[in-house]
Amino acid sequence: MRSTIRRLTLTFAVLAWAVAALTSSTAGAQPLRTGFLDEEALFSDSGTGPLAMHRIHGAGGTTVRFMIYWRDVAPKSRPANFNPADPGDPAYNWGKADAEIRYAVAAGLKPIVDLARAPDWASDPGTSGARRPSPRQYGLFARAAALRYSGHFTPAGGARLPHVRYWQVWNEPNYPYFLRPRESAPAIYRRLINALAARVHRVDSTNIVLAGGTGRIGALSFARDVLCLSSTKPYRSVCPNKVQFDAWGTNPYTSGGPRARAGGGSVWLGDLPRLHSVLKAATHLHKVVDVRGRAKRTVAFWVTEFSWDSYMPDPDAVRSALHVRWTAEALYRMWRAGVSTVIWFTVRDRPLPGSLWQSGLYYCGRSATSDDGSGGMCGASISSDVAKPSLRAFKFPFVAYAAKGAVSVWGRTPSGRRGFVKIERKAASGGTYAVVRTVRPNSAGIFRLKMASRWTRGYYRAVGAAGSSAPFSLNRPSAGGKVTPFGCGGTVRC
């Protein structure tokens, strides 16, 4: 009997070890969804939208964020009989938004709709809808939008419109360009959040309200002010106001690599854990509520906009090999900080020197083989665009770090698909890759494990059913001087 028990115990131990070897352990339970924001490529009148949406899907993206500018959809001057809460009011012009949402859903993507920029009659005139927008009127517009894209609305002479579940409140509200006056912006924004949330949740209680979307400068300070928290730890409530939302987003553009920190009240990649701690404090202090006014235990944490420009084509941007590494590592650092959704800006580069944005994962036109970025070659057609090497790192992010006799790896399969993944390594001197471990990602496609190893040089990669990740070197490269996220172009001379 004793020998039988010993054999069974040994068998179970071996089975447990085998399961542990095949199944990754994760530091966080959240998934890592990815998507894009690119108003020019996705939503231009030139018909590029369907192909751009297809490329997002091919890049492992599952979401697409776009803007509905209130002032463009609403009438310029308010008619006497206008009903702003009616999605079918003839004074509204939803044509562009309808087409964009249909494109996204047809490509298998989930739209994230950002409602921003008030008409003059709902804000201080002549300020492009940025100064003192009316929370009440904003709420009525949000109701109209949520009803129109509830999945039950059929416009006159058209087919039924899809359902939009994700609704973002404004854009970078901590910047005066989007919301002012600066000194009262947190209080105004708090009222905008609650106005949209009340209406959108009333249309469909399963809708998700995304607040924040803050620009990197002052993002931490602004979040504390909106959530009525003290400026120092331990955080405490400094006003009785509560805010109704489901997720908070930020745009942590980083001057430097994935570990860089801004410090103070701003947020770069390295500061994401600090912002997450503010959100945790807000829920702990019952500052965030649901549709019924009950305190929420948790809120989701998103990155609503992020990228680095690349060289080429931008001569002042991140070199290609480093851009590949940083793209994968940025996604890991975000996930490790508790982020569950990341929106990359943009799909394709915009032309130099006229534009500041060369942060796409596709080279514009023939810029992949041109020293000057082929500025004039970027036209409406995107069929000749060429994928950047960093597209592979975005689609199948994977990192590997050596320390104290072990190598730790992390990755996420394309689109978060399930299926076994092989971890392979290759010597720094060359040769071929050899399989060192097989893992089974969790239900969100995330895998993470630590392996005993004496290797301190060389390369690791992950290989799955959808292909392989970009190789990740165990040697951490030098950034090589000052690196900005935006490089040059537009108003910044190259």
Side-chain angles (χ1 to χ4, degrees):
M1 177 64 72
R2 291 181 180 178
S3 61
T4 301
I5 292 174
R6 282 196 297 269
R7 285 196 301 271
L8 288 172
T9 301
L10 180 60
T11 300
F12 284 128
V14 170
L15 288 172
W17 177 87
V19 171
L22 289 172
T23 307
S24 64
S25 61
T26 58
Q30 83 280 356
L32 184 68
R33 295 176 292 267
T34 54
F36 286 83
L37 167 67
D38 190 334
E39 290 188 81
E40 289 192 7
L42 296 174
F43 315 119
S44 69
D45 296 328
S46 57
T48 62
L51 178 54
M53 299 286 186
H54 176 73
R55 287 186 173 165
I56 290 177
H57 191 273
T62 58
T63 63
V64 56
R65 175 181 169 227
F66 64 91
M67 315 293 297
I68 291 183
Y69 292 112
W70 180 13
R71 64 187 294 107
D72 293 340
V73 173
K76 300 299 180 185
S77 57
R78 181 169 176 163
N81 59 347
F82 177 55
N83 181 359
D86 180 5
D89 193 289
Y92 274 132
N93 179 14
W94 299 98
K96 183 171 179 286
D98 287 354
E100 293 166 357
I101 290 171
R102 290 190 194 278
Y103 286 156
V105 173
L109 303 173
K110 295 179 180 179
I112 303 166
V113 174
D114 189 333
L115 303 181
R117 293 288 189 187
D120 284 354
W121 51 264
S123 62
D124 284 359
T127 62
S128 299
R131 186 175 180 86
R132 294 194 180 94
S134 166
R136 180 178 181 278
Q137 294 300 324
Y138 185 63
L140 294 175
F141 175 63
R143 180 181 186 276
L147 284 171
R148 189 172 186 89
Y149 306 116
S150 63
H152 305 292
F153 184 85
T154 303
R160 180 178 294 182
L161 288 162
H163 179 211
V164 172
R165 189 179 179 215
Y166 299 95
W167 298 92
Q168 183 172 345
V169 186
W170 225 250
N171 179 59
E172 296 189 339
N174 55 321
Y175 287 175
Y177 177 78
F178 294 105
L179 188 62
R180 55 186 186 270
R182 182 192 295 269
E183 61 276 6
S184 55
I188 295 172
Y189 188 60
R190 190 186 309 121
R191 292 195 291 272
L192 291 174
I193 296 172
N194 287 338
L196 179 143
R199 299 287 184 166
V200 165
H201 281 150
R202 198 172 301 164
V203 170
D204 187 335
S205 61
T206 68
N207 282 340
I208 302 298
V209 173
L210 173 60
T214 46
R216 62 177 184 160
I217 300 173
L220 191 73
S221 303
F222 188 81
R224 290 194 304 251
D225 291 343
V226 171
L227 298 169
C228 288
L229 299 181
S230 60
S231 59
T232 58
K233 290 184 176 181
Y235 295 121
R236 65 184 189 282
S237 175
V238 295
C239 76
N241 296 301
K242 299 183 185 297
V243 195
Q244 184 187 152
F245 64 91
D246 305 295
W248 184 276
T250 194
N251 306 342
Y253 287 104
T254 302
S255 296
R259 300 168 186 260
R261 299 178 181 179
S266 297
V267 174
W268 293 357
L269 279 176
D271 301 298
L272 288 173
R274 298 168 59 222
L275 180 54
H276 201 194
S277 71
V278 169
L279 299 179
K280 291 177 180 177
T283 55
H284 177 72
L285 294 170
H286 301 165
K287 306 301 293 182
V288 187
V289 297
D290 64 13
V291 64
R292 297 183 180 179
R294 300 172 300 190
K296 292 179 70 72
R297 293 184 178 182
T298 61
V299 294
F301 189 25
W302 289 22
V303 166
T304 39
E305 201 175 311
F306 182 80
S307 64
W308 285 285
D309 276 20
S310 69
Y311 176 88
M312 295 173 14
D314 189 332
D316 291 345
V318 182
R319 297 281 171 168
S320 179
L322 197 58
H323 199 263
V324 174
R325 182 184 180 92
W326 282 5
T327 297
E329 191 172 0
L331 292 171
Y332 166 60
R333 297 289 170 189
M334 293 177 195
W335 177 85
R336 187 176 178 182
V339 171
S340 58
T341 298
V342 177
I343 305 299
W344 188 272
F345 179 83
T346 57
V347 176
R348 70 192 299 243
D349 287 346
R350 297 181 188 174
L352 274 172
S355 173
L356 186 62
W357 318 119
Q358 288 78 48
S359 54
L361 297 182
Y362 280 85
Y363 293 109
C364 173
R366 294 205 302 263
S367 59
T369 57
S370 171
D371 290 337
D372 63 2
S374 296
M377 311 248 350
C378 289
S381 174
I382 63 175
S383 59
S384 60
D385 288 357
V386 177
K388 292 183 181 180
S390 45
L391 174 65
R392 188 177 172 193
F394 183 85
K395 180 178 181 178
F396 195 165
F398 173 81
V399 299
Y401 304 107
K404 299 180 180 179
V407 171
S408 299
V409 302
W410 173 93
R412 189 219 64 184
T413 60
S415 303
R417 299 185 188 124
R418 295 186 180 186
F420 287 98
V421 172
K422 296 178 181 179
I423 308 299
E424 300 180 343
R425 72 183 178 195
K426 182 179 73 171
S429 57
T432 59
Y433 279 96
V435 177
V436 295
R437 191 67 64 88
T438 298
V439 297
R440 183 173 59 194
N442 66 16
S443 59
I446 302 290
F447 56 94
R448 189 185 192 195
L449 71 156
K450 188 175 184 179
M451 304 173 290
S453 176
R454 295 181 180 179
W455 281 47
T456 58
R457 297 174 62 84
Y459 301 88
Y460 277 76
R461 71 177 184 181
V463 180
S468 64
S469 70
F472 198 90
S473 173
L474 294 181
N475 297 328
R476 188 184 305 173
S478 171
K482 183 180 179 181
V483 177
T484 68
F486 306 117
C488 66
T491 58
V492 181
R493 181 176 295 179
C494 291

